[in-house]
Amino acid sequence: MKVLSRFEIRRFLFFFARSVSQRKGRVVIASLSVMLAVAMVTALAGINSGIREKLGAELKAYGANIIVSPRNGDSIEAAALDKIRGIQHVEDASGQVLGKVFIGGYAIELIGLNIDRLKYSGWRFIGDRPAKRNEVLAGIDLRDALRLAPGKTLSLESNGGKADFIVSGFVEKGGPEDSSIIMSIEDAWELTGTNNVFSAILVRGEPGKLDGIARDIVRDVPAVAAKTLRQVASAEESLLSKMQLLMTLVTLIALFASTVSVASTVSANVFERKKEIGLMKALGGSRSQITLFYTTEAVIIGLSGGLSGFIAGYLSAQAISRGAFGSFIHLPQWMILLSLAMGLSIALTASHFPVRGAMRYDAAAILRGE
Amino acid sequence: MGSADEFIKLRCVSKEYATASALRGIDMVVEKGQWVSVVGPSGSGKSTLLNIMSGLDNPTSGQVVIDSTDITAMKEDEMARFRREKIGFVFQQSHLIPYLNAVENVMLAQYFHSIADEREAADSLERVGMGHRIDHKPSQLSGGEQQRICIARALINSPQILLADEPTGNLDRENTRKILELLNRLYSERQFTIILVTHDPFVAQWGRRTITMEDGKIIRDEYR
Ligand SMILES: Nc1ncnc2c1ncn2[C@@H]1O[C@H](COP(=O)(O)OP(=O)(O)OP(=O)(O)O)[C@@H](O)[C@H]1O
Ligand SMILES: [Mg+2]
């Protein structure tokens, strides 16, 4: 193809704009169908990555990579915590108490943890963290349900009795924490009437040494099981793989349907323009000069469909993920490039054959008016 | 440059369609700057002859040499370049692009050839007497006016050959005469070669030479 000068590009765009404005409707329909497919793929990828991020999220959110849980019964002796801290390559470990509290007769999840040690990664805070005894954090959903405000007093009831707590602030994490009450371990022990036991111990070990650490924990601490982040994640992942297969299938169908629909739009376009193409040939237009009009149209359809599809897909993934999994989606930035590329390749693939066919029309016969 | 007296040369050109033989062994030579009228009954192969000379159609056998170049051997893109540099077309139907106005239709031919120049395109419309209609769409113009625009478009890139297939076929006598006077004026100014297909003896007489076809063959070749 000959190189177009800037002046020629301007002229090309001039004729191109005239030609496209004649078939705005078709161009819009074609880019809508590209948009649908790209939106579908983006949404599925987004939901997928959202779910993936949730894999092992329980551990990640606390900056931990090994979870130690009781093998029988439902608690671990507090002494286990010191033993685990003494194991080689363990950087940090903290206990957690899980239980139930009642507010006005309603059961609510209680999480007791080491407030100072809490790694707040992935947590969003509103207000202050508890600074002293009898101060608690409430999940964001709980705040909304009970219309809580910082400083408000909450009356909590559990096996250990009944006590008043002050809400210091709120957390949002996109997980079960959002509807829980979070307090210090000491408060949790007192409220639930237990002492010196944990429901689980979260361990941060040196990356790369996790399997060894997990083995050492099981050896040194009686009656516990230790799972590394990878084990937790892969157990959750096997559940996901079936869903992903379905998603991939739906995606392929969407891509195929969209390509077919764009192809038929472009074919109709080209067919309507048979006379125009014959005339352009008679005026001495070369194959590249003539097909440039149609290819540019496809590029525009692809890019606009790709971009709008990305936006629509992102928004719906966000909505679905909020509703279904209670989590936010972080789409990688390259996903927008992938969407554009996907839109482009749908549109270019779809228009390739009709445009090639158009160049084969017998210009002589067309111009004779047959 | 080829010899001026063998500017266009057809050697034993035949065109077979599945259902008919459109041309049967045509031999002809056209000098540079000649105005040739091609007449003959419907179906005698006149349009086919023209389309083969322009490379829009390929002969089944034989050779077409224009300006010393064998166009039957050309590849598609060479053919397109040859067409935009050497040939201007006028058809019976005007074949203007409906969504472009008069001057833009002329500019499209410039665009394929080299660079679209609006001033030059408007001047060319002035010369065919359409200076006052440059921003009219084809649908807003009469048949005669449309043909004038087609003539301006065909000649905008200064082609050496003008191929016209029944250019006045849809026009009344008065408009036909005006178009031919216009063509004649441009022809005497620029001395291009004209090959003009027509049914109409009145139109045919404007050329100095008349070729009569019948059943895919040349049966008469007369000079006036
Ligand atoms: N694409 C085609 N397929 C089959 N036959 C064709 C085709 N084009 C032309 N023909 C046949 O070739 C013959 C010559 O056609 P052509 O159009 O050259 O005639 P013509 O002299 O221009 O006629 P008219 O005066 O009616 O325009 C006719 O018999 C026609 O039916
Ligand atoms: Mg004809």
Side-chain angles (χ1 to χ4, degrees):
Chain A
M1 196 199 293
K2 73 171 179 174
V3 181
L4 293 170
S5 75
R6 200 193 300 170
F7 190 70
E8 284 173 286
I9 290 173
R10 233 180 60 203
R11 287 303 185 195
F12 165 75
L13 290 177
F14 170 81
F15 288 118
F16 176 71
R18 286 296 158 96
S19 139
V20 163
S21 70
Q22 278 311 97
R23 39 187 163 184
K24 270 178 260 153
R26 287 199 186 283
V27 171
V28 168
I29 288 171
S31 59
L32 276 179
S33 60
V34 171
M35 175 184 132
L36 280 179
V38 173
M40 194 116 180
V41 175
T42 309
L44 290 176
I47 292 166
N48 201 26
S49 86
I51 297 172
R52 258 175 194 289
E53 263 169 37
K54 282 193 76 99
L55 291 179
E58 220 173 307
L59 287 175
K60 281 185 215 156
Y62 297 94
N65 45 28
I66 296 174
I67 184 165
V68 179
S69 46
R71 202 167 335 131
N72 22 32
D74 47 23
S75 56
I76 307 173
E77 289 300 316
L81 186 59
D82 286 329
K83 269 193 198 149
I84 290 172
R85 283 187 180 143
I87 288 173
Q88 222 189 348
H89 304 303
V90 169
E91 291 169 354
D92 193 11
S94 64
Q96 250 192 16
V97 177
L98 303 175
K100 270 196 173 35
V101 292
F102 294 89
I103 301 177
Y106 289 102
I108 289 167
E109 300 291 334
L110 169 71
I111 303 172
L113 42 73
N114 189 332
I115 299 280
D116 302 328
R117 265 212 176 69
L118 178 56
K119 302 287 176 221
Y120 296 110
S121 61
W123 295 55
R124 187 145 34 162
F125 280 94
I126 301 152
D128 297 324
R129 294 169 213 162
K132 48 184 191 281
R133 291 290 297 262
N134 283 19
E135 284 189 349
V136 296
L137 287 167
I140 194 93
D141 294 343
L142 202 58
R143 174 194 70 175
D144 295 344
L146 301 179
R147 293 169 208 262
L148 298 174
K152 188 166 174 176
T153 303
L154 262 185
S155 204
L156 303 178
E157 199 176 344
S158 186
N159 303 342
K162 193 169 176 170
D164 283 349
F165 291 83
I166 292 168
V167 179
S168 69
F170 307 99
V171 291
E172 182 171 18
K173 192 197 147 222
E177 290 83 354
D178 289 0
S179 49
S180 305
I181 290 284
I182 296 158
M183 59 176 65
S184 70
I185 289 170
E186 292 74 23
D187 282 343
W189 277 337
E190 201 173 311
L191 186 62
T192 55
T194 54
N195 204 1
N196 282 333
V197 289
F198 297 122
S199 312
I201 294 174
L202 299 171
V203 179
R204 192 174 76 240
E206 205 177 301
K209 301 276 198 305
L210 299 185
D211 290 333
I213 297 171
R215 264 198 309 278
D216 290 351
I217 291 172
V218 176
R219 190 193 58 207
D220 294 356
V221 183
V224 297
K227 270 193 180 162
T228 63
L229 177 60
R230 190 157 41 80
Q231 287 169 326
V232 173
S234 74
E236 290 172 4
E237 191 170 307
S238 70
L239 282 172
L240 275 183
S241 61
K242 277 189 192 111
M243 199 153 132
Q244 276 170 358
L245 185 69
L246 189 72
M247 284 181 173
T248 311
L249 218 65
V250 173
T251 305
L252 287 178
I253 291 170
L255 282 176
F256 178 74
S258 154
T259 307
V260 168
S261 131
V262 175
S264 75
T265 311
V266 177
S267 306
N269 236 336
V270 164
F271 186 78
E272 279 172 9
R273 309 268 137 175
K274 250 170 117 163
K275 229 167 99 176
E276 190 175 303
I277 293 169
L279 177 65
M280 288 180 179
K281 276 190 183 172
L283 293 178
S286 65
R287 171 183 289 258
S288 52
Q289 279 176 325
I290 297 172
T291 52
L292 189 59
F293 284 100
Y294 300 95
T295 312
T296 307
E297 193 175 305
V299 167
I300 285 175
I301 290 170
L303 289 181
S304 62
L307 185 66
S308 53
F310 174 80
I311 294 168
Y314 179 73
L315 293 179
S316 43
Q318 201 68 271
I320 292 169
S321 188
R322 269 260 181 77
F325 314 115
S327 67
F328 296 102
I329 278 182
H330 305 285
L331 274 184
Q333 274 169 3
W334 50 260
M335 196 60 207
I336 189 163
L337 292 181
L338 188 73
S339 298
L340 290 177
M342 199 154 47
L344 264 186
S345 53
I346 293 173
L348 288 175
T349 310
S351 62
H352 176 75
F353 296 100
V355 169
R356 207 180 59 172
M359 290 307 294
R360 291 221 195 92
Y361 287 143
D362 177 3
I366 296 166
L367 294 172
R368 219 158 24 200
E370 276 160 19
Chain B
M1 277 287 137
S3 122
D5 20 309
E6 289 199 350
F7 185 54
I8 301 173
K9 187 173 175 189
L10 274 67
R11 281 211 352 235
C12 207
V13 170
S14 293
K15 178 72 183 180
E16 307 281 340
Y17 289 109
T19 48
S21 298
L23 298 177
R24 304 165 191 255
I26 299 282
D27 285 297
M28 74 186 260
V29 172
V30 177
E31 283 170 35
K32 194 164 189 176
Q34 250 182 2
W35 178 325
V36 182
S37 302
V38 180
V39 298
S42 186
S44 56
K46 306 182 296 291
S47 297
T48 308
L49 182 71
L50 229 56
N51 288 330
I52 282 176
M53 283 187 195
S54 71
L56 277 182
D57 212 344
N58 293 316
T60 314
S61 63
Q63 205 183 27
V64 180
V65 178
I66 295 180
D67 202 9
S68 302
T69 314
D70 181 355
I71 69 162
T72 38
M74 281 184 174
K75 292 200 203 69
E76 186 188 298
D77 269 8
E78 285 176 298
M79 199 62 245
R81 194 179 326 122
F82 162 84
R83 216 164 21 238
R84 65 175 168 252
E85 313 238 295
K86 301 243 149 130
I87 291 182
F89 270 107
V90 182
F91 305 95
Q92 177 170 355
Q93 285 114 351
S94 61
H95 291 310
L96 292 164
I97 293 195
Y99 53 82
L100 297 179
N101 68 26
V103 73
E104 290 163 357
N105 264 289
V106 176
M107 284 162 68
L108 186 63
Q110 289 179 311
Y111 168 75
F112 286 132
H113 180 266
S114 46
I115 278 178
D117 178 343
E118 186 161 1
R119 265 258 292 289
E120 195 188 318
D123 284 351
S124 77
L125 286 174
E126 195 75 54
R127 254 175 280 128
V128 297
M130 293 295 294
H132 58 306
R133 291 275 188 273
I134 56 173
D135 51 3
H136 282 54
K137 295 272 167 67
S139 59
Q140 299 166 319
L141 298 169
S142 75
E145 289 174 325
Q146 290 183 24
Q147 281 313 56
R148 284 166 184 271
I149 290 162
C150 290
I151 289 169
R153 179 178 65 185
L155 298 178
I156 188 69
N157 299 317
S158 310
Q160 294 173 325
I161 304 168
L162 179 69
L163 299 177
D165 195 349
E166 315 234 18
T168 57
N170 289 347
L171 303 181
D172 59 22
R173 179 48 35 104
E174 181 55 20
N175 274 305
T176 297
R177 196 179 49 74
K178 282 188 190 160
I179 290 288
L180 285 161
E181 277 167 4
L182 169 64
L183 265 185
N184 197 36
R185 177 162 60 74
L186 296 168
Y187 172 69
S188 42
E189 279 167 24
R190 306 216 206 153
Q191 290 301 316
F192 43 83
T193 306
I194 298 188
I195 306 207
L196 190 152
V197 168
T198 183
H199 274 114
D200 183 346
F202 170 75
V203 176
Q205 71 180 8
W206 287 73
R208 213 169 67 76
R209 177 182 177 191
T210 303
I211 288 176
T212 309
M213 295 187 64
E214 203 177 284
D215 201 16
K217 289 197 281 262
I218 296 179
I219 56 159
R220 247 195 322 277
D221 190 349
E222 308 157 297
Y223 286 79
R224 266 196 312 113

